[in-house]
Amino acid sequence: MNRILLFLFIGQSFFATAQTEATIRSHFTEVNKQIAESIENGFEGPLYNNQWIANKNGRSWPAVGNYTETTDFWYNDPPYHISAAERNPKTVLLKVNITRKASHLMSNEEYLYKDGKLLFYYCNEREEGNEWETRMYFNSKGIMFKNSVKANGKELTAKDFTTEDYKDFKPNAVKTMAAGKKYQDLFVKSMQ
């Protein structure tokens, strides 16, 4: 009897995770669709966009070389439009995209939010013929329930992260959540 209950419990938790992942993927697809519509339709698009560009002309930075960074904040309502007492201004932020070029390193990061909570993180980095890709899925309580890391197309395992070659690629949920919160805070402060 205990084994049956254990299997039911494991099955339910797996099903809940699968639903959460499917919900995140659906939200990701919908937000990307709205971003594409907003780019295509300009001021008539469904989302607002604030863009920050660091080193717009790509001039050489000390100890880095050529460097430029573009951060796009995609949101569905100006946070100051509704008083903070009535609504948390962080809830309007849907996605943050960051693209960087630092010498030979090209990177793209994405933070996906819903109702003020980070749900998904994606990072793609390329340098000198190598490529790394990280995906992290978070539940509504901010706990990472799934991750995927690929190096040059190879899915990395827990054992790979113990090796010298891949130890720096192990997903760090605490660091990612902190970065996601930092971008939310920067967004809200920039709108005040």
Side-chain angles (χ1 to χ4, degrees):
M1 181 69 172
N2 286 340
R3 286 185 181 177
I4 293 171
L5 291 174
L6 177 66
F7 286 122
L8 285 174
F9 177 73
I10 291 171
Q12 285 178 332
S13 64
F14 175 76
F15 183 69
T17 299
Q19 285 182 328
T20 303
E21 183 179 348
T23 303
I24 291 170
R25 287 178 187 264
S26 175
H27 181 60
F28 182 81
T29 301
E30 180 59 30
V31 169
N32 283 342
K33 179 182 167 195
Q34 290 177 350
I35 289 171
E37 287 177 38
S38 297
I39 291 170
E40 183 179 324
N41 297 328
F43 68 90
E44 293 180 2
L47 299 179
Y48 298 93
N49 173 237
N50 290 358
Q51 187 177 71
W52 295 353
I53 300 174
N55 200 22
K56 183 176 181 176
N57 296 320
R59 295 204 47 188
S60 182
W61 274 32
V64 176
N66 295 336
Y67 177 80
T68 188
E69 179 176 302
T70 303
T71 305
D72 285 294
F73 296 90
W74 292 97
Y75 55 104
N76 60 9
D77 197 13
Y80 55 79
H81 197 253
I82 299 172
S83 75
E86 294 176 23
R87 183 173 174 185
N88 180 350
K90 292 178 183 179
T91 62
V92 300
L93 182 63
L94 296 174
K95 191 171 182 187
V96 177
N97 291 347
I98 305 116
T99 56
R100 287 182 198 93
K101 181 179 182 194
S103 190
H104 296 289
L105 177 66
M106 304 284 290
S107 69
N108 177 46
E109 285 184 283
E110 300 178 12
Y111 295 83
L112 179 72
Y113 303 89
K114 186 173 185 179
D115 300 324
K117 298 182 186 316
L118 179 65
L119 295 181
F120 179 70
Y121 169 77
Y122 172 78
C123 181
N124 179 281
E125 297 179 304
R126 297 172 310 283
E127 182 177 38
E128 299 177 352
N130 293 307
E131 184 174 9
W132 306 275
E133 197 173 71
T134 302
R135 288 178 171 81
M136 299 169 74
Y137 297 83
F138 298 91
N139 66 20
S140 60
K141 295 179 181 173
I143 298 170
M144 181 176 67
F145 67 86
K146 182 178 180 180
N147 69 70
S148 169
V149 180
K150 292 182 181 178
N152 296 319
K154 175 192 171 201
E155 182 83 28
L156 300 181
T157 65
K159 184 179 178 182
D160 291 325
F161 295 129
T162 63
T163 67
E164 193 64 31
D165 290 340
Y166 298 119
K167 69 178 184 178
D168 294 335
F169 296 102
K170 184 176 181 181
N172 185 331
V174 172
K175 184 178 172 183
T176 301
M177 287 298 289
K181 183 177 179 350
K182 177 189 86 166
Y183 283 112
Q184 279 181 310
D185 293 341
L186 288 171
F187 166 72
V188 171
K189 287 177 185 175
S190 74
M191 299 296 286
Q192 294 176 344

